[in-house]
Amino acid sequence: MFIEGKNLVKKYGKGEVTVFALDHAEFGVEKGEIVVILGPSGSGKSTLLRCINKLETLTKGNILLDGKNIDDSLEFHKKIGMVFQSFNLFENLTVLDNITLAPIKTKTLSEIDAVKRAKELLKMINLESKINEYPRSLSGGEKQRVAIVRSLIMSPEIMLFDEPTSALDPEMIGEVLSLMKTLSSNMTMVIVTHELDFAKEIANRVIFMDGGMIVEEGTVDDIFNHPKSKRLKDFLSKIA
Ligand code: ADP
Ligand code: MG
């Protein structure tokens, strides 16, 4: 298993007002696999991704990447890229500086190589002309594509996407999904999305979460056509 989460517990709050955002969740992702996570709001999907990326600390359990316990080290930061619903670009930096900041700061690339690579990546997403623009002058779809290549420049081994198209106007969703589709052929990805047609097209495996637990997992056919649990059946009937 490439990524492995064992007995994951994430508790928020204290005393009587505790929430188990993760409640003994177990999961695994193979190298090269595209895993889509589905589940109702509040089921722990974002928490799971944030724990993989070390933006949150687990209350209990551990996550292994390539057999090693992930920690805050640069080694793991470089291996895991994350893309958020709200893009999280640095508004005070140009597109170029947004993309080159991390590789330069961490000395992963020299400044010259970082700029060269950033230009290649911008060319790939057809945004070379925006290189010196600030995020405010980009459309939502453009921002998200820049956010994706900002992750890519670190050559991550796995990319996590947390509802990458949920903040986009409908006409921009396609350009982001199509970039993700292109990248999926040589990348390991864990994607939280409500774009069901896209999920069906791209997923090697689907995980359904509810109440901080992995309730069911399987192929696209298993999950969409042969749901077993009542919770998944209810979820599918609501989103259909
Ligand atoms: P999802 O992404 O599936 O909508 P989340 O992982 O965001 O779910 O949240 C899971 C649960 O944990 C929810 O009940 C949410 O309210 C709670 N939660 C998430 N983040 C925090 C936080 N920082 N403090 C307190 N509760 C939180
Ligand atoms: Mg979420």
Side-chain angles (χ1 to χ4, degrees), residues 82-215:
M82 183 145 171
V83 174
F84 303 85
Q85 179 177 341
S86 51
F87 326 125
N88 292 12
L89 292 175
F90 302 108
E91 294 295 328
N92 59 329
L93 297 181
T94 63
V95 165
L96 178 66
D97 290 342
N98 262 284
I99 298 170
T100 57
L101 181 71
I104 293 174
K105 210 172 159 193
T106 59
K107 299 190 162 62
T108 304
L109 294 175
S110 69
E111 191 169 339
I112 291 172
D113 287 341
V115 170
K116 185 163 164 258
R117 182 73 184 126
K119 285 180 177 166
E120 289 166 5
L121 290 166
L122 283 170
K123 193 163 182 196
M124 178 184 83
I125 59 171
N126 287 318
L127 289 179
E128 304 137 282
S129 63
K130 305 282 186 185
I131 190 160
N132 293 315
E133 304 279 338
Y134 287 85
R136 63 176 171 273
S137 64
L138 304 182
S139 72
E142 289 170 345
K143 281 185 201 176
Q144 194 60 299
R145 286 185 287 138
V146 169
I148 291 171
V149 301
R150 179 179 62 170
S151 270
L152 280 181
I153 197 168
M154 296 296 281
S155 304
E157 293 185 16
I158 173 160
M159 294 266 292
L160 312 174
F161 293 86
D162 194 358
E163 300 196 30
T165 60
S166 293
L168 300 179
D169 291 333
E171 73 270 21
M172 291 167 190
I173 292 177
E175 67 196 40
V176 171
L177 296 182
S178 129
L179 173 59
M180 290 168 67
K181 184 97 206 300
T182 306
L183 302 177
S184 68
S185 57
N186 47 12
M187 178 71 80
T188 308
M189 290 183 176
V190 181
I191 306 168
V192 174
T193 183
H194 299 297
E195 295 293 327
L196 298 187
D197 289 338
F198 173 70
K200 289 175 186 173
E201 194 187 333
I202 200 171
N204 302 124
R205 194 150 51 85
V206 180
I207 289 178
F208 171 65
M209 287 186 75
D210 196 12
M213 285 175 259
I214 311 290
V215 175

Side-chain angles (χ1 to χ4, degrees), residues 16-28:
E16 284 175 14
V17 283
T18 53
V19 175
F20 283 90
L22 294 177
D23 190 1
H24 301 89
E26 306 261 339
F27 79 101

